[in-house]
Every structure is written in structure tokens, then in C-alpha cells.
Amino acid sequence: MSPSAHASSTVNPIQWRDDRLVLLDQRLLPGAEIHVDCATSAAVVTAIRDMVVRGAPAIGIAGAYGMVLAAREAWQRVGPAWRSDWQDAVTALREARPTAINLAWAVDRLVLAAQTLDGDPGLPLLVLAQQLHAEDLAANHRMGQLGAALIAPGSTVMTHCNAGALATAGHGTALGVIRDAHAAGRIERVFATETRPWLQGARLTSWELSREGIPVTLITDGSAAHVMRAEAVAWLIVGADRVAANGDVANKIGTYGLAIAARAHGARVMVVAPLSTFDPATPDGSAIHIEERAGEEITTIGGQRYAPAGVTAYNPVFDVTPAALIDVLVTEAGVIERPDRARIAALQAAR
Ligand code: MRU
């Protein structure tokens, strides 16, 4: 692909500055671009849990920096006995959100590295966190090129939630593909679902794409099947929070229904996810812990309640799309057509 087909985003959601983690507060976008400083590992846990930072790779990277802060805090408290002192902080970071495996993956990478360290762990763990951060950006650019090459010129595509620069180290997974495909003249129009209740599609995806001149049209979640049929959507392109060993994919609630609708309307389904989102220890989608959040996220908007008092709300925030509904899985190590257990194992073995 020609160099002009490379697109890049200026959105920078995660930074390490002056010994602290600086996060773009995604709860306030697109209305305000405010940064939140996290100077302690506890502040990082809160930021992940409260969705200041969100998106599977992004919470993994934030968690890695949280581990650096946790190690520094433990070293300051107890010196060489720091490894027994940081356990509670490690658990709190690992469990801040349960579905996206990138968080546990990143925490475990730092725990493993910590086992062989001598002396003050702050600097070596910071180097590793920065390495994971840089690797995620590189993976997104690679996936963007691989996924874009699958899209025919002039296509209409649909995406769900926000799998963009905001959800990663930059560029994005699904939106990385859309950025590169648009730069290569392959995308004419992008439909973005609003993504109730946090409105990641309405607030974040449409912000990321429109500020770069990528033609995005916002739709309600409920109109997606109608739009697929009426507008000849060629691809549904989404990210993932966890890919099980058999290729089942957990992603933002609604993805499963969109994949069923895509199959019914001849749209192909592309899941774009770095290897840090793959979990060989999860045999299939039924073993994935689906995060459930407070009912108030559904019964209120902007802090104002509109559902009747006392009504019960059920708010699972992810669902599982069976591998059989996925046409291609795009990773930085290559593309898997019709993903299944054997093809995923083969790709991982080849790494
Ligand atoms: O609840 P969120 O906003 O963290 O959910 C994010 C998603 O479901 C994304 O699609 C997924 O993490 C992939 S991000 C590259």
C-alpha cells in the first residue's frame, strides 16, 4: 500500500509525565478536553473503574503504569520487601474491570518482570510499561494496514462503541482499520452506532472520525439492522475485549446482535484485536466474566432520572459473539479467516 494510505491520529489518551499517569478524561468528551493526573496506584484503579480511561488496550496500558506507581509506593514503604507489600495494589489493579483481558495481561507482565528485579523496581518497570505502550501503537498501525487491505474501494462500513485512538495507545483497532482504509480510498461512509448507555459511539467515535474528515454518520443502536439492509453495509468492523481460545469474542454490549444482523444482511464481520486481547486460558465465550454495571447508567441521563422510581434495570456491558459469526480476525501477526481454535493456536504458535 502506498505511504499516503497511512493515516495517523493526533489523539493521545495516555501519557506518562513528571512521575505520574496523565489521562484524557473520556467521560467529558467531546464537550471538554480535560486531563486527570494519577499520582498513585489507587488513583489509577479509580480512573479505570470510573471510565476516565476505557477500551481494552487502553486500560491495559493504564494498568501497567498503575503497577509502576504501586511498585514505587511499596519500595518507599518497605524497601527490599516491596514485593510482598504491593500485593493488594496488584489485585486492585487487576480487578478494576473484569472483562477486558488486556488489563490482567499487562498486570501479569509486570508481575513476571518484577520477580527477577534487584533493588528499586521503579525504573525497570517504567521501561516495561513504556514498551507495552509503544508496542500497542505499533500493533494498531500494522492491523490498520492488514484490515484495510480487505475492504473493497468505495465501501460502506459500520462500527460499534469506540475502538479508536482513545481506546488504545493511539490510532485504534477497528478505527485504525477505518482510518487506513479511508486514507486508501476504500471507505465512502462510516455508520457509528451511538452505543447506549455510555454513548462511546456518539461521543467518542464520531468525535475521532469527524475531526479527521472521515465521513461518519451516527445512528441509534436500534436502527442498525435497518441501516445494514437499506445502505448496503459491506463490513461490520469492531474491536474486542477478549478473544477466547476458540475464537468467541467479548466486546461492547450489542456486538452480538449486530453480528447476527450482519450475517442476515450479507455484511461481513471483522474483529480487530492485538494479541494482548487473546486469552488462551479462556476456552470459549461461556467462561468470560461479563461486567455488570450500575442500573443507574440506564435509568438516568446526565444524572437526571427518567425511568420510573423503583424500576429494575439490568446492565451487562459486554456480550459474546460466537466465532461462527466472525468472518475475519485481524491481529498484528496476521489475519485469521473464519477463526476457530486450530487457526488461533496456529497463529500464536507461529509467534
Ligand atoms: O466499556 P468500554 O468503553 O471500555 O468498552 C470498550 C469496548 O467494548 C471496545 O470495543 C473494546 O475494548 C475494544 S477497544 C480497542
Side-chain angles (χ1 to χ4, degrees), residues 11-32:
V11 181
N12 194 1
I14 306 169
Q15 295 167 65
W16 179 264
R17 272 202 317 248
D18 302 329
D19 281 341
R20 52 191 63 201
L21 180 63
V22 181
L23 298 169
L24 178 60
D25 191 340
Q26 300 193 29
R27 301 168 302 180
L28 305 177
L29 290 171

Side-chain angles (χ1 to χ4, degrees), residues 32-231:
E33 289 182 44
I34 307 269
H35 289 85
V36 172
D37 273 20
C38 300
T40 64
S41 63
V44 178
V45 171
T46 303
I48 292 172
R49 202 187 46 226
D50 293 353
M51 311 266 291
V52 171
V53 59
R54 34 72 42 206
I59 63 175
I61 296 160
Y65 287 116
M67 290 285 284
V68 174
L69 292 166
R72 288 183 173 185
E73 290 155 11
W75 177 262
Q76 274 164 15
R77 273 193 300 265
V78 296
W82 66 276
R83 260 181 294 258
S84 47
D85 186 77
W86 81 333
Q87 281 313 325
D88 287 351
V90 170
T91 304
L93 281 163
R94 205 174 188 283
E95 296 177 355
R97 289 192 76 191
T99 303
I101 195 65
N102 304 62
L103 179 56
W105 172 87
V107 166
D108 292 347
R109 284 284 302 265
L110 273 85
V111 167
L112 189 67
Q115 283 171 10
T116 52
L117 293 180
D118 274 334
D120 185 340
L123 187 58
L125 291 185
L126 176 60
V127 169
L128 177 53
Q130 287 173 325
Q131 182 190 322
L132 300 186
H133 194 166
E135 284 174 359
D136 187 65
L137 184 59
N140 290 337
H141 282 286
R142 178 79 187 127
M143 293 188 290
Q145 292 289 299
L146 291 173
L150 302 173
I151 297 172
S155 294
T156 294
V157 303
M158 184 179 289
T159 190
H160 186 51
C161 192
N162 172 267
L166 289 166
T168 62
H171 198 57
T173 57
L175 292 196
V177 169
I178 288 172
R179 282 190 163 93
D180 286 343
H182 177 260
R186 292 169 183 268
I187 287 189
E188 200 169 286
R189 192 174 195 193
V190 182
F191 285 104
T193 53
E194 62 176 345
T195 318
R196 287 276 293 141
W198 271 83
L199 302 175
Q200 291 95 331
R203 294 187 303 104
L204 308 178
T205 293
S206 43
W207 180 72
E208 278 197 38
L209 296 183
S210 61
R211 70 205 288 270
E212 290 171 28
I214 299 174
V216 58
T217 303
L218 185 61
I219 58 171
T220 60
D221 296 326
S223 67
H226 168 77
V227 171
M228 280 181 192
R229 184 170 58 189
E231 303 293 336

Side-chain angles (χ1 to χ4, degrees), residues 8 16 21 54 82 237 251 272 340:
S8 64
W16 179 264
L21 180 63
R54 34 72 42 206
W82 66 276
I237 307 176
N251 191 50
V272 189
D340 62 17

